[in-house]
Amino acid sequence: MKSNSSIEKKKAIVSVFLYSNQPVTKCQGRYFTKMKNFVDFLALLSSKSPDYRLIVPCNSIEQSETAALIPINLPSDLIEVNSYQGHTQALLRTIPNAYHLRKQIKKTLADGHSVIIAGPGPNSMLYLLSLLLPKNVKFAFFIRGDTVKTVENMYKGRLIGRFAIELVKIFQRRIYSLLKQRRAIAFTYGTKLRDIYAQHGKAQSIAPLIDSSDISTISTVSREAHVGGILKVLFVGRLSREKGIQDLLDACQLAVKDGTPFELTIIGHGPLLDSLKDYIQTHELNGWVSLIGYVPHGGKLMTYFDSHDLLCLPSYTEGVPRVIVEAFARGLYVAATPVGSIPALFSEHLHLIENNSPRAILDAINWCRSHTPEIKDAAAGLPKVANLYTLEHHVESVKKQLNQFAVADR
């Protein structure tokens, strides 16, 4: 005969509030985003149960402003909170947003539901909610990278840097504490982060990075046109110090001096945009470097993947870069620095750059140039590798873990 406690666990309704820290915009009832990053995974997860509610920072825009944005399918019953731009605004909006959410969560608790708050970490919203809500509320953190290292690189040399780093450390220590109390579970993007958080409590490695519709086996004809000629190198990412984009430009200049030039296409936006333009002009690299700017996710971006020979990511810090799997999905080979979870997840499928120095970056690019047949063979199997990192591949596992965690220790 089953015990009363096991019957209670079966009857318990698990309500999961899924907080996305990625702001979206709204126009005429439709939602848009600048890039698919994390909100698409949470949206898919929320569609798997009527008791899962998506929470998004949101603001309204005019129709004319949607041209450069990506339409994204979000559930109709989502909860909208005040949107923001940048870290400072995010902190300021956290307090009113958290109190707004606390009311809805307390009502759900009063209805007898078990509640989990899930979202990215370390994060100010989940930190504050963990202090405001009763101790029977649990948390699930999606850890996508080493946030402390990322913030250190972003704010290096700035007065506010020390404050920002200490604040992130406070948020991180709170996660460790909740894990030790068995009030939290950590879903880490990669095994390296899992091993860190598992020291404090329950942690599981996941990597939901791209939609299955982005995976396509393509012809290698366009790439073969460049074999033995000028290599076409692509960079896609935020134009900021931690991404190593300046070092990649230095490598491009070094290649021209060495007589081994390559064509570099840079896609992205960020704080280094103007300085990169000046550098290209000053060092007369206009014939070798194309600074495209922001390109929304979709067909146009895929065209850039398909028309290049190599994706180069000389980052100083990363979690699990989505762009690597996007390149794999298009059969594009990748050279990247061994940071974050890149070595643990992808070392068998890409070329690891020894370090971030321009010379090391150039050596890696030249290696790829001189090993074209091997790269061609490896690239042919990359779309199959990408299948392991689709949102659909991971969402059911995460849902199962959340439901089990909600009723554990009851």
Side-chain angles (χ1 to χ4, degrees):
M1 183 174 178
K2 293 183 179 179
S3 67
N4 289 335
S5 62
S6 64
I7 294 173
E8 286 176 6
K9 286 184 181 182
K10 275 194 170 184
K11 291 182 178 179
I13 299 175
V14 180
S15 288
V16 181
F17 292 85
L18 300 162
Y19 175 71
S20 170
N21 65 335
Q22 180 186 344
V24 300
T25 53
K26 185 178 182 181
C27 179
Q28 299 179 359
R30 298 177 65 204
Y31 292 94
F32 299 83
T33 181
K34 280 191 173 182
M35 63 183 71
K36 289 185 176 182
N37 187 2
F38 183 54
V39 67
D40 52 346
F41 174 65
L42 293 186
L44 180 61
L45 187 57
S46 70
S47 71
K48 298 299 180 180
S49 170
D51 297 308
Y52 283 28
R53 297 283 303 279
L54 180 66
I55 305 165
V56 293
C58 181
N59 69 293
S60 297
I61 59 172
E62 298 295 328
Q63 181 66 40
S64 59
E65 299 177 79
T66 65
L69 300 176
I70 310 164
I72 185 168
N73 293 322
L74 299 182
S76 59
D77 64 341
L78 61 77
I79 301 171
E80 295 180 7
V81 295
N82 295 320
S83 190
Y84 50 80
Q85 289 185 349
H87 291 159
T88 302
Q89 273 195 19
L91 287 172
L92 293 175
R93 297 287 169 85
T94 291
I95 296 174
N97 285 345
Y99 275 92
H100 171 68
L101 292 174
R102 185 178 71 160
K103 292 180 182 179
Q104 300 202 38
I105 294 166
K106 281 194 168 184
K107 183 179 182 303
T108 304
L109 288 168
D111 291 338
H113 294 208
S114 296
V115 171
I116 294 178
I117 315 297
N123 177 273
S124 60
M125 175 63 79
L126 270 66
Y127 170 80
L128 186 54
L129 286 174
S130 75
L131 300 177
L132 293 174
L133 292 168
K135 290 188 177 180
N136 61 333
V137 173
K138 294 182 177 182
F139 291 82
F141 294 93
F142 293 94
I143 313 295
R144 296 178 289 165
D146 189 333
T147 308
V148 173
K149 284 187 178 180
T150 299
V151 171
E152 284 176 347
N153 278 285
M154 289 179 68
Y155 289 93
K156 189 171 185 178
R158 298 171 59 182
L159 291 176
I160 198 175
R162 182 173 296 181
F163 169 76
I165 293 166
E166 288 306 314
L167 199 58
V168 171
K169 287 181 178 179
I170 290 172
F171 299 159
Q172 190 171 57
R173 286 196 292 270
R174 181 60 176 165
I175 297 175
Y176 293 159
S177 175
L178 292 169
L179 286 169
K180 288 177 181 177
Q181 297 172 43
R182 296 184 179 181
R183 287 185 60 198
I185 181 173
F187 293 100
T188 67
Y189 281 43
T191 55
K192 184 176 181 180
L193 288 168
R194 180 201 60 196
D195 293 344
I196 294 171
Y197 282 84
Q199 297 176 42
H200 306 277
K202 187 173 179 61
Q204 178 178 328
S205 174
I206 62 172
L209 297 173
I210 64 170
D211 191 284
S212 59
S213 63
D214 292 330
I215 297 179
S216 172
T217 303
I218 62 168
S219 170
T220 58
V221 173
S222 62
R223 303 196 205 289
E224 288 177 347
H226 307 292
V227 174
I230 301 298
L231 202 70
K232 299 187 71 174
V233 179
L234 179 67
F235 171 91
V236 179
R238 177 176 165 81
L239 305 183
S240 54
R241 183 189 178 279
E242 73 273 9
K243 297 300 183 180
I245 181 59
Q246 182 59 61
D247 302 291
L248 180 55
L249 266 184
D250 289 340
C252 186
Q253 184 197 19
L254 190 59
V256 173
K257 288 182 177 179
D258 287 354
T260 58
F262 58 87
E263 293 182 15
L264 175 62
T265 301
I266 300 172
I267 294 177
H269 58 94
L272 294 185
L273 178 60
D274 289 338
S275 65
L276 296 178
K277 287 180 179 178
D278 292 341
Y279 184 95
I280 294 168
Q281 187 69 32
T282 301
H283 294 83
E284 300 180 346
L285 292 175
N286 292 294
W288 300 107
V289 181
S290 298
L291 192 55
I292 304 299
Y294 169 71
V295 176
H297 186 90
K300 186 176 180 181
L301 182 59
M302 295 303 107
T303 298
Y304 282 105
F305 283 124
D306 295 350
S307 62
H308 284 74
D309 305 301
L310 179 71
L311 177 73
C312 186
L313 298 178
S315 303
Y316 285 84
T317 177
E318 285 286 359
V320 183
R322 180 192 187 111
V323 70
I324 288 181
V325 182
E326 289 175 336
F328 285 0
R330 308 303 297 186
L332 178 61
Y333 198 70
V334 178
T337 42
V339 295
S341 294
I342 292 175
L345 293 178
F346 305 125
S347 61
E348 294 182 5
H349 308 292
L350 51 68
H351 183 76
L352 291 174
I353 305 171
E354 187 175 340
N355 57 58
N356 306 82
S357 72
R359 176 55 68 183
I361 296 170
L362 180 56
D363 286 347
I365 291 172
N366 285 337
W367 183 92
C368 293
R369 189 203 315 266
S370 63
H371 289 75
T372 300
E374 296 95 321
I375 288 176
K376 181 183 174 184
D377 290 342
L382 292 179
K384 290 184 179 179
V385 177
N387 271 306
L388 301 175
Y389 300 95
T390 62
L391 309 185
E392 295 83 356
H393 184 78
H394 290 271
V395 71
E396 288 296 338
S397 173
V398 170
K399 178 189 172 186
K400 181 180 178 181
Q401 289 288 325
L402 287 173
N403 290 341
Q404 290 176 348
F405 177 62
V407 298
D409 302 323
R410 277 172 61 100

